[in-house]
């Protein structure tokens, strides 16, 4: 591999997201671990992905699935040790894949030594200045400093006594850091170097659009006022311009390595032009684009999203990312089996209502869901840019909707009083075997209960079975590796509900989004996302890859 390829690997990479606690458990404690990842390196290589991204494996009280980090430069003892981490990186590198780790800079865990020190130190202290502490309103400061909501429900302010509150945009165990504090900035540079020195190839940055905050107004604006403003330079919390000075410093660190370390920001900013600012070469280099994850399975929506994001990526010299599933949303196989709504908040509400009903109402059409999911995946894998896959989607795994409340772990469930059922259904440990204790996940149970039907979606059940979702992913990923060479995409005229585009003479992708068959364009069939009908047709909800 030449030096150019070495540093640009991320531009068209297929990255497989591992949620470590639910991937593979080697010590029988019901929690996945780093040895489990190392042991499955051959599986990941055979799948044909280019890199793995690990969600947090750091010491944590698990108030938010590990996104409450208590020590940024260590491994949770339940997941392994730093020695296991090094062995895992070696095993992944050995099979030719790269490793991306998660950085969680917006907030620490509440057991982080800094936060414990801040609680002990009292108002006005240096220790509290690493976070956002404020005096409450009203008599004795009993009222929170503002009416801001936490994203997981309830107030974004938690009282600590003596009329003092701290800010937490997520769970109360996730106090927000103050990024105006030089010590905070220095410490994260050290964390980046710590993992880069251990050989990680890239970083995924959690809540990348939230670090810079302006809490100088007195009184603070109300929730209604800031909702009105929307993310951007004048919003006190989200997507402020100053955030980019943080990433400029990080970029210096990334570029001090050979090859430079890659980064992708989790940026929940709708305006693609504002989102693109995170993806400049002087910044993180790439930003997540969640547009497809929130779109209905409709040709017009897909086409507009692709066109918009490719144009934006080109402006900054970056490439786009494509995501259909991750650990925060209902698995796309299930999402596509529910009614397709265009308004993302209505779609989110529908999904939550469905989860609240234990997956009963509205009924999930699993067959259509799977056909659309595979068709969407093949569509995405044919696009220029990088594709992020979430563990289990290669098995066509449905969301587990009927978890008992007693098993739930997601703070969104607790903080919303059950109104938001949360994300546990996408985080149930993977089935590796048809039968047996925890379906081959480990030697004992699984930290979130697996349903009885899980075994039919196991790696064992699907590997080598022609037409299984796993075999379709393997075939597609192998072809994508061979065929991707340019970053060009050209649309080809197609009937309504069909999208057809060319990547090269050797690679065209055509997707039928409709519920009925459509005419098949000429060309040699390389692969299909599902069973084929008559030769001249593209079956309903199907993608074909063709060559001239
Ligand atoms: C985004 C992560 O993907 C999500 O899982 C987490 O709850 C929040 N950030 C807070 O860290």
């Amino acid at each position: 591999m030449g030096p150019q390829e070495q540093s640009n690997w991320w531009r068209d990479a297929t990255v497989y997201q591992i949620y470590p606690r639910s991937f593979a458990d080697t010590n029988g404690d019901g929690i996945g671990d780093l040895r489990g990842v190392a042991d499955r390196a051959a599986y990941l290589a055979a799948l044909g992905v280019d890199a793995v991204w690990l969600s947090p494996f750091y010491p944590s009280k698990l108030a938010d699935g590990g996104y409450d980090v208590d020590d940024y430069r260590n491994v949770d003892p339940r997941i392994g040790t730093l020695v296991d981490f090094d062995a895992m990186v070696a095993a992944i590198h050995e099979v030719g894949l790269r490793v991306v780790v998660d950085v969680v800079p917006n907030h620490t865990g509440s057991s982080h030594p800094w936060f414990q020190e801040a609680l002990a130190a009292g108002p006005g202290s240096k220790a509290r200045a690493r976070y956002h502490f404020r005096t409450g309103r009203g008599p004795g400061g009993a009222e929170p400093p503002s009416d801001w909501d936490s994203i997981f429900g309830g107030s974004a302010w938690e009282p600590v006594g003596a009329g003092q509150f701290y800010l937490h945009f997520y769970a109360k165990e996730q106090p927000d850091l103050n990024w105006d504090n030089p010590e905070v900035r220095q410490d994260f540079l050290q964390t980046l170097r710590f993992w880069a020195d251990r050989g990680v190839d890239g970083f995924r940055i959690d809540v990348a659009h939230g670090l810079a905050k302006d809490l100088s107004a007195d009184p603070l604006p109300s929730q209604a006022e800031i909702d009105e403003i929307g993310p951007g330079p004048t919003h006190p919390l989200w997507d402020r311009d100053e955030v980019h000075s943080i990433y400029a410093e990080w970029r210096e660190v990334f570029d001090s390595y050979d090859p430079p370390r890659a980064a992708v920001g989790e940026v929940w900013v709708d305006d693609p032009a504002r989102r693109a600012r995170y993806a400049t070469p002087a910044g993180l280099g790439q930003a997540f684009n969640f547009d497809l994850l929130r779109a209905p399975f409709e040709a017009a929506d897909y086409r507009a999203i692709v066109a918009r994001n490719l144009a934006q990526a080109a402006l900054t010299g970056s490439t786009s990312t494509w995501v259909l599933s991750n650990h925060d949303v209902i698995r796309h196989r299930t999402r596509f089996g529910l009614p397709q709504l265009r308004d993302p908040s209505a779609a989110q509400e529908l999904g939550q209502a469905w989860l609240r009903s234990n997956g009963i109402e509205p009924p999930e059409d699993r067959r259509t869901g799977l056909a659309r999911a595979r068709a969407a995946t093949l569509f995405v894998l044919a696009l220029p840019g990088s594709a992020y896959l979430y563990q289990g989607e290669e098995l066509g795994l449905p969301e587990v909707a009927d978890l008992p409340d007693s098993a739930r772990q997601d703070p969104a469930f607790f903080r919303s009083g059950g109104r938001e059922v949360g994300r546990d259904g996408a985080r149930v440990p993977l089935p590796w075997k048809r039968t047996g204790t925890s379906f081959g996940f480990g030697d004992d149970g699984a930290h979130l209960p697996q349903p009885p039907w899980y075994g039919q979606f196991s790696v064992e059940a699907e590997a080598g079975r022609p037409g299984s979702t796993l075999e379709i992913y393997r075939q597609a990923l192998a072809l994508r590796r061979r065929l991707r060479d340019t970053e060009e995409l050209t649309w080809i005229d197609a009937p309504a509900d069909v999208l057809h585009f060319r990547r090269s003479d050797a690679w065209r992708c055509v997707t039928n989004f409709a519920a009925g068959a459509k005419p098949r364009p000429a060309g040699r069939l390389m692969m299909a996302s599902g069973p084929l009908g008559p030769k001249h047709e593209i079956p309903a909800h199907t993608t074909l890859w063709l060559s001239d």
Side-chain angles (χ1 to χ4, degrees), residues 356-380:
R356 275 199 303 272
S357 76
N358 287 330
I360 294 168
E361 196 46 53
E364 173 193 0
D365 178 348
R366 278 201 176 173
R367 185 192 272 269
T368 302
L370 182 61
R372 286 173 170 162
R374 289 171 170 189
T377 296
L378 250 63
F379 178 90
V380 157

Side-chain angles (χ1 to χ4, degrees), residues 64 67 104 107 152 170 174 204 206-207 266 327-328 423 427:
D64 181 21
Y67 283 90
V104 189
H107 41 265
F152 291 153
Y170 294 89
Q174 294 167 294
R204 177 266 187 190
D206 192 64
V207 199
E266 186 208 23
H327 64 299
D328 287 332
R423 304 159 293 176
R427 300 175 179 185

Side-chain angles (χ1 to χ4, degrees), residues 18-33:
I18 291 182
Y19 189 76
R21 290 179 178 81
S22 300
F23 187 67
D25 170 24
T26 57
N27 64 356
D29 64 357
I31 299 174
D33 42 49

